[in-house]
Amino acid sequence: MADERDAAGERGKDSKVFSYLKRRKTREGVPTPHLMEELSAPKVDVPVWSRSLAPFGFVLIMIALGVGCILLGGLPVGVMFMAIGVVPVALVCVLTLKALPRALGPHRDAGQEELGPYLGAGGDERVRQMSPGLVGEERDVMEWNRAEEADRTWRWLHEAGVAPERVETVSDDGTRLVGHAIVTHPESARWVVVAHGFAENWRAGLTFARRLSEGGCNLLLVDMRAHGESGGQWVGAGWLDRRDLVAWSRWVVGRAGAGARVALMGISMGAASALQAFGEPDLPEQVRACVADSAYADFWNAAVNAVSTGMLGTPPMPAHPIVDLARLFLRLRRGGYDLALARPLDAVGAARGPVLLVHATDDRICPVYMAERLAAAAPEGSELVTFPSAGHCCAVFADPGRYWDHVLAYLGARL
């Protein structure tokens, strides 16, 4: 009898253990609900220059201790102190210097699939990367919707005789910018400038092109700075790109005339760029609308989140001092800038009109709280539309009907 009680107790313990482990992985690759809540909880990391210099201060202190020990006759201890100070900091600096150009340097070869990264042959894999953990019906719905849109977009491009026209302009700082215009309504003054995300190119905009064209708009799909054919030494993170979108808006007005009615639309980094451009005082008055899909509230916190969680495919690493050193080294490089300046949250309040924010609730790269902060700071009349069961930049595949109902209704009212 006692043995039976002991066995039952052990089974009870096991059931509790397995129940806990089961809760920790409700879907493949997805954190437990409480961990997901933690990842999605609002976090505000404030950039401070002193953190960039702290590693070098640590080195100086350890060298001073080492020298002191050596002068007192403790050579081995002194050498140990100096090694502890110099070696780890040197390794982190080398790692950051090597990673910086890979992450924020030019992305010229951003993929040449005809329909871009989402609608091309690798689209399903792209959606899975952006929406980790989706299985069963959720994945089936997104893959079906993506495949259907890919087929319709291909037919639209080829059977309707739509030919993207390569065009160029120049930004304020002399950077040459390249884009592709798709003019399906030559008589229309309605244009949408579409800005892609990090490490993509103009073809990512083809995800939205057919629907926008059928909504009566001409399109300008741009290569963002340091992407594709556009010039630039560093990825702009939305800060440098805001001025590029002002330049593109002027190009559209020059092409369509003073009666042009223009909207900015972007995904991820492109969305952050569009929000910042929409608040620029010298943006042409013809720009009347802004649609931001999966925007971050500020690049700094997006970078801290990506580095610390490994959500961009890198091993999870301490964000500090890596992000701090990256900020310092980029600021000191030729053509560099301060990463902390890329803050759509500060710019959206100065937007010239209501904005439309679109965001997936399962976005792990730019958590939904960022969109909520943007919505709270946006002008009166702005709207935030959220989509469950989708990841970063994938709301358009989760529920295309609802997505385009909101986007086209907003553009129809503004343009």
Side-chain angles (χ1 to χ4, degrees), residues 396-413:
V396 67
F397 302 125
D399 190 345
R402 180 166 168 258
Y403 184 99
W404 287 110
D405 283 347
H406 282 280
V407 171
L408 294 179
Y410 168 78
L411 292 178

Side-chain angles (χ1 to χ4, degrees), residues 184-195:
T184 51
H185 305 280
E187 75 291 347
S188 176
R190 304 174 77 216
W191 281 74
V192 179
V193 180
V194 183

Side-chain angles (χ1 to χ4, degrees), residues 162-373:
V162 179
E165 172 193 354
R166 185 183 181 279
V167 298
E168 294 187 14
T169 193
V170 178
S171 194
D172 296 349
D173 61 358
T175 300
R176 181 181 62 89
L177 305 172
V178 176
H180 287 75
I182 301 179
V183 184
T184 51
H185 305 280
E187 75 291 347
S188 176
R190 304 174 77 216
W191 281 74
V192 179
V193 180
V194 183
H196 62 76
F198 175 76
E200 298 172 350
N201 63 17
W202 70 274
R203 295 180 186 274
L206 292 172
T207 305
F208 313 93
R210 181 185 70 85
R211 298 273 197 160
L212 292 171
S213 174
E214 292 177 350
C217 299
N218 296 309
L219 307 170
L220 176 62
L221 314 181
V222 305
D223 275 338
M224 301 287 280
R225 173 182 293 251
H227 290 80
E229 294 185 73
S230 288
Q233 296 174 288
W234 300 100
V235 172
W239 175 248
L240 301 181
D241 315 270
R242 81 195 196 286
R243 299 303 307 167
D244 299 343
L245 290 182
V246 171
W248 278 122
S249 299
R250 291 173 181 156
W251 182 92
V252 171
V253 173
R255 171 77 172 256
R261 302 190 298 278
V262 185
L264 303 177
M265 180 174 182
I267 56 174
S268 192
M269 188 181 72
S273 305
L275 289 173
Q276 291 178 97
F278 202 44
E280 289 293 282
D282 60 341
L283 186 71
E285 63 181 11
Q286 290 84 355
V287 182
R288 303 180 176 185
C290 179
V291 179
D293 183 333
S294 306
Y296 45 76
D298 65 292
F299 183 76
W300 179 263
N301 277 279
V304 168
N305 179 60
V307 172
S308 61
T309 60
M311 289 181 182
L312 293 180
T314 57
M317 297 178 288
H320 303 295
I322 292 176
V323 179
D324 305 288
L325 290 172
R327 179 192 183 195
L328 176 64
F329 294 152
L330 180 60
R331 187 68 185 87
L332 296 175
R333 299 291 288 271
R334 182 179 179 183
Y337 62 99
D338 184 358
L339 288 173
L341 294 175
R343 287 181 55 85
L345 184 62
D346 293 341
V348 71
R352 62 178 48 179
V355 302
L356 176 62
L357 301 165
V358 180
H359 218 93
T361 56
D362 288 338
D363 192 331
R364 295 168 61 191
I365 295 175
C366 297
V368 70
Y369 76 81
M370 290 192 169
E372 293 168 349
R373 294 178 66 200

